[in-house]
């Protein structure tokens, strides 16, 4: 088994040297061919400079510099497409995912029973609101997107590199690696691992951003919102029929009193709200179709540091159908 470790990096200048100092002995102890790919996602601090120093001074480490901040999942797609070895491990850059737990993920992949393994914390390491938002996102993936294993999903994962063939045509600014992996396999498992507290700072995934991520997944990978709008319209229609029947019943009974202004205004507001919700959902889908037609890239790699045969391959636009081995931009490749 050969292993590529992909680490998306953002505001991690302080943690990367510590992470690599712990990670490289673990990979060496596995006695397998390995590489580490640091994907710096447009970080505003000195993360890129730190990654360059590590790539130049550590054998088997490469660094990719995104031209701007595209988001964690976009950075992961970039690193996964650059990976050369047969198993890909993804982990965070904040030391919450202990490198010493990687052998547990790889051991679960041995044999042919599983293609994808998630590392699940023995105990949730986030606060109440953050954990609630995270669980809500996973529940939405399980229900609306049909990802049966969504409740065990985490950013600490190991999978066979061949799974990327299932999403080689994935393009556009809104991507979700876990949904893409679910397209390629159903042989998914999980193992319990010990997660650590963040070394410093706080997570960029606030409850608000998690909700936004959930909306992106629903609109980008599911038609559930359209069905929900249809169900809402049907429900409002039933309410209207019941109200009409009630009015006719009172009229037949001799009660010809005209309903008050408050009742009429409330019903108009309800029907108008349902219409606007349905129009809004349709507008979101049309907007995403329009955005996709503009050809916005999933990512653009501006610089690469580190020796690799992959760097000698022809350049292709990031976001094209074929697996991207090189980004678009005026950056340089350093050996």
């Amino acid at each position: 088994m050969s292993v590529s470790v992909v680490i998306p990096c953002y505001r991690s200048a302080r943690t990367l040297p510590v992470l690599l100092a712990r990670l490289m002995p673990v990979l060496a102890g596995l006695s397998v061919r390995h590489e580490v790919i640091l994907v710096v996602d447009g970080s505003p601090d000195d993360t890129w400079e730190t990654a360059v120093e590590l790539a130049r001074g550590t054998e088997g480490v490469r660094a990719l510099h995104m031209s701007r901040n595209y988001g964690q999942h976009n950075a992961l797609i970039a690193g996964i497409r650059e990976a050369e070895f047969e198993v890909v491990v993804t982990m965070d850059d904040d030391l919450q995912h202990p490198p010493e737990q990687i052998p547990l993920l790889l051991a679960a992949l041995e044999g042919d029973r599983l293609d994808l393994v998630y590392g699940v914390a023995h105990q949730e390491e986030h606060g109440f609101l953050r954990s609630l938002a995270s669980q809500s996102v996973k529940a939405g993936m399980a229900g609306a997107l049909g990802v049966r294993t969504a409740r065990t999903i985490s950013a600490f994962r190991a999978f066979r590199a061949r799974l990327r063939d299932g999403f080689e045509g994935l393009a556009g600014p809104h991507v979700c690696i876990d949904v893409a992996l679910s397209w390629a396999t159903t042989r998914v498992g999980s193992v319990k691992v010990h997660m650590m507290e963040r070394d410093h700072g706080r997570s960029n995934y606030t409850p608000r951003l998690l909700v936004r991520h959930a909306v992106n997944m629903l609109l980008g990978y599911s038609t559930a919102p359209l069905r929900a709008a249809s169900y809402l319209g049907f429900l409002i229609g039933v309410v209207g029929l019941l109200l009409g029947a009630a009015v006719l019943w009172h009229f037949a009974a001799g009660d010809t009193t005209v309903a008050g202004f408050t009742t009429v205004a409330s019903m108009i507001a309800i029907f108008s709200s349902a219409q606007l919700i349905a129009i809004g959902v349709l507008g979101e889908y049309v907007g995403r179709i329009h955005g996709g037609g503009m050809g916005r890239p999933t990512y653009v790699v501006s610089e690469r540091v580190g020796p690799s045969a992959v760097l000698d391959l022809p350049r292709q636009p990031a976001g094209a159908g074929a697996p991207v081995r090189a980004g678009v931009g005026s950056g340089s490749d350093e050996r």
Side-chain angles (χ1 to χ4, degrees):
M1 183 183 295
S2 55
V3 180
S4 297
V5 180
V6 177
I7 306 174
C9 308
Y10 188 80
R11 294 186 183 274
S12 52
R14 288 177 54 184
T15 57
L16 279 182
V18 180
L19 176 58
L20 266 292
R22 292 172 55 185
L23 175 60
M24 300 311 291
V26 171
L27 296 177
L30 293 172
S31 299
V32 297
R33 297 173 64 203
H34 60 267
E35 66 175 350
V36 177
I37 304 174
L38 305 175
V39 186
V40 180
D41 188 24
S43 183
D45 62 356
D46 297 331
T47 300
W48 172 242
E49 288 73 15
T50 302
V52 168
E53 184 178 348
L54 292 170
R56 288 173 174 167
T58 310
E59 185 179 358
V61 176
R62 290 193 276 149
L64 306 181
H65 193 200
M66 311 286 269
S67 62
R68 57 176 289 268
N69 179 249
Y70 287 93
Q72 183 187 44
H73 288 254
N74 302 61
L76 281 171
I77 292 290
I80 290 168
R81 286 172 169 167
E82 297 271 348
E84 298 182 8
F85 295 142
E86 59 182 322
V87 171
V88 177
V89 175
T90 67
M91 60 189 304
D92 287 345
D93 58 349
D94 55 9
L95 300 177
Q96 283 189 293
H97 299 156
E100 296 80 10
Q101 304 286 290
I102 289 178
L104 294 178
L105 301 181
L106 299 180
L109 274 184
E110 290 183 354
D112 296 325
R113 191 175 67 88
L114 297 176
D115 290 327
L116 168 62
V117 177
Y118 288 101
V120 182
H122 283 282
Q123 184 176 358
E124 186 63 56
E125 69 273 13
H126 304 295
F128 174 76
L129 289 178
R130 170 71 166 76
S131 299
L132 178 63
S134 178
Q135 292 301 319
S136 299
V137 171
K138 292 178 181 179
M141 289 182 66
L145 304 181
V147 182
R148 294 178 299 171
T149 57
R151 296 186 184 276
T152 63
I153 281 176
S154 79
F156 195 26
R157 55 178 85 78
F159 59 92
R160 303 187 193 281
R162 65 170 181 263
L163 296 187
R164 64 187 170 195
D165 293 340
F167 52 89
E168 64 178 11
L170 186 66
H174 305 294
V175 295
C176 176
I177 184 61
D178 296 301
V179 175
L181 287 170
S182 73
W183 297 344
T185 184
T186 57
R187 300 194 301 177
V188 183
S190 63
V191 295
K192 292 287 186 179
V193 297
H194 293 284
M195 299 290 190
M196 309 297 292
E197 295 288 340
R198 289 179 64 91
D199 183 68
H200 73 283
R202 61 181 182 179
S203 173
N204 293 310
Y205 270 106
T206 62
R208 181 180 65 85
L209 287 179
L210 279 172
V211 171
R212 190 164 126 192
H213 180 56
V215 171
N216 283 335
M217 287 193 300
L218 285 174
L219 295 176
Y221 299 95
S222 171
T223 57
L226 290 174
R227 289 196 299 270
S230 300
Y231 296 152
L232 178 62
F234 177 78
L235 178 62
I236 296 298
V238 170
V239 172
L241 288 175
L242 291 176
L243 287 174
V247 170
L248 291 175
W249 174 265
H250 285 291
F251 181 79
D255 184 4
T256 58
T257 302
V258 178
F261 171 78
T262 303
T263 302
V264 174
S266 299
M267 294 311 304
I268 290 175
I270 291 174
F271 286 112
S272 299
S273 175
Q275 290 175 331
L276 289 174
I277 290 173
I279 292 172
V281 171
L282 288 171
E284 285 287 343
Y285 277 95
V286 172
R288 285 172 180 268
I289 294 172
H290 173 66
M294 289 190 295
R296 292 177 61 187
T298 306
Y299 58 87
V300 175
V301 178
S302 60
E303 291 182 73
R304 288 170 170 77
V305 174
S308 173
V310 171
L311 300 182
D312 296 327
L313 295 178
R315 293 183 176 274
Q316 302 178 47
V324 177
R325 296 297 189 182
V328 179
S330 57
S332 61
D333 293 344
E334 299 189 36
R335 304 290 177 171

